[in-house]
Amino acid sequence: MAVTGDETETGTSGDLTACQLQNTGSSLPQGGAETSTQGFVKSANPSQKREHRLMKNREAARECRRKKKEYVKCLENRVAVLENQNKTLIEELSSIKDIYRHKVE
DNA sequence: CAATGATCCCGTCAAGTTCG
DNA sequence: CGAACTTGACGGGATCATTG
């Protein structure tokens, strides 16, 4: 097993409400800077168009993976928190049962 | 130390979705 | 409706750990 991971669900102390994926319309340099996509795409020859498309997709894939990774990390945090909650509730229930038992006896 | 397996990250393609 | 965007799937290279 290659434990490359430096991840682990460290607290991040986050309030993890909803780990939502989907386009938050977040970062992504889409409309941004560099190649003024508009004019370029029209005047470019097919191979330039292809190159441009590949480049765009390359960046998109990177961003997509980044978001997915973030999403998974968020889910992992959520699992950790819920497991803790569950544990606490089980203990609480157990002590309530105890109290009840003593009263009955 | 070489072979092997596991895992990660990347680039590309294809199909689906969104938007002007 | 077409162009741009998003994402799952696939194949390949790099790196690390284990094993004989």
Side-chain angles (χ1 to χ4, degrees), chain A residues 6 11 20 22 27 30 32 36 39-40 46 48 61-62 64 98 102:
Chain A
D6 45 319
Q20 53 176 344
Q22 295 310 320
S27 38
Q30 229 57 274
S36 48
F40 171 77
Q48 284 177 314
R62 251 192 293 241
C64 179
D98 245 26
H102 281 108

Side-chain angles (χ1 to χ4, degrees), chain A residues 14-52:
Chain A
D15 71 311
L16 28 83
T17 39
C19 303
Q20 53 176 344
L21 202 51
Q22 295 310 320
N23 328 328
T24 42
S26 55
S27 38
L28 205 46
Q30 229 57 274
E34 26 178 0
T35 49
S36 48
T37 317
Q38 296 299 38
F40 171 77
V41 171
K42 289 229 167 185
S43 59
N45 65 43
S47 93
Q48 284 177 314
K49 279 183 182 175
R50 173 181 159 77
E51 216 38 54
H52 183 259

Side-chain angles (χ1 to χ4, degrees), chain A residues 1-104:
Chain A
M1 293 95 199
V3 188
T4 338
D6 45 319
E7 25 154 353
T8 67
E9 67 291 343
T10 42
T12 321
S13 69
D15 71 311
L16 28 83
T17 39
C19 303
Q20 53 176 344
L21 202 51
Q22 295 310 320
N23 328 328
T24 42
S26 55
S27 38
L28 205 46
Q30 229 57 274
E34 26 178 0
T35 49
S36 48
T37 317
Q38 296 299 38
F40 171 77
V41 171
K42 289 229 167 185
S43 59
N45 65 43
S47 93
Q48 284 177 314
K49 279 183 182 175
R50 173 181 159 77
E51 216 38 54
H52 183 259
R53 184 169 50 74
L54 288 182
M55 195 242 284
K56 280 284 186 189
N57 187 244
R58 203 177 301 141
E59 287 167 8
R62 251 192 293 241
E63 177 66 10
C64 179
R65 285 171 185 135
R66 190 192 62 75
K67 283 197 297 187
K68 186 173 181 178
K69 215 170 172 180
E70 201 174 292
Y71 172 68
V72 168
K73 198 176 276 182
C74 179
L75 287 181
E76 285 170 348
N77 279 341
R78 189 159 170 70
V79 166
V81 166
L82 290 175
E83 277 175 351
N84 272 340
Q85 272 181 18
N86 195 36
K87 191 178 162 198
T88 301
L89 288 173
I90 286 173
E91 285 170 4
E92 203 176 314
L93 176 61
S94 163
S95 67
I96 288 174
K97 278 181 176 173
D98 245 26
I99 292 171
Y100 176 73
R101 204 174 303 128
H102 281 108
K103 281 199 171 177
V104 168

